[in-house]
Amino acid sequence: MATITDDLGYAFASSGPRARVVSLVPSLTESVAAARRDALIGATDWCTHPGDLAVTRVRGTKNPDVAKIVALHPDLVLANKEVNRRTDVERLRAAGISVWVTVIESVPQALESLRRMFSRALGWSVPAWLDKADAEFCRPAPERRLRVVVPVWRDPWMVVGSRTFTGDLLARLGLENVYGDAVDRYPQVSVAEILARRPDRVVLPDEPYRFTADDGPEAFPDTRSSLVEGRALTWYGPSLVNARAVVASALDSG
């Protein structure tokens, strides 16, 4: 039996195609469902795509119901270093559950991690949408030259900083993240501090904080704002196929 290692280097035995999978990451839930929906038996309350997914819900990404997950008898649980807590991963492993942890901080890393997840962890063939996403991001970045800031929360305001998947995606869309030089990955800032960086555009996603036309743009009356589907900015999976077009459309209409 072959030994495989996840993105953190944790080793466990490969046991062939996985038939009972629990996902603790919205992006990975959508990825698995798009490839082999009948193998997905559990997901978090935050796993909103596909919209008609009918599986056992195991609470949130930060507080999963470990006992419920164990009771489902999964042959693999999918997790992510940033999204999920180490203590929950350790508790699942202590209960004898195999957990594959991904580490994703850039688009290339996402594409490679997903390939490894499908081929090694799940033992499945790589889905066609992953090849399409790969081809999409092999194209050169458009020359937009816009300086943007991407808030992900308010009260307190938090923005996309350095070493993030979203920041890398922005760069590949020809956009300059004005907080790309921040020490923190998601720095807490004030509106005044944001404005002091003089962004050309404030990009407001609908998750994790749900910014809307009435909640967000009013804080930046003298700077153009663009509302965008958060999934196109922060999710790695089937959404990558259309992410460039979705973000470009939001910027053009915002």
Side-chain angles (χ1 to χ4, degrees), residues 99-116:
V99 184
W100 179 271
V101 181
T102 61
V103 179
I104 295 174
E105 296 182 357
S106 70
V107 173
Q109 195 175 28
L111 296 170
E112 176 58 26
S113 178
L114 287 168
R115 286 187 183 280
R116 283 169 34 81

Side-chain angles (χ1 to χ4, degrees), residues 192-212:
E193 288 171 328
I194 292 175
L195 295 176
R197 299 225 173 189
R198 305 178 68 84
D200 299 315
R201 192 74 58 88
V202 180
V203 180
L204 299 168
D206 60 7
E207 65 166 26
Y209 185 93
R210 187 174 182 79
F211 289 104
T212 66

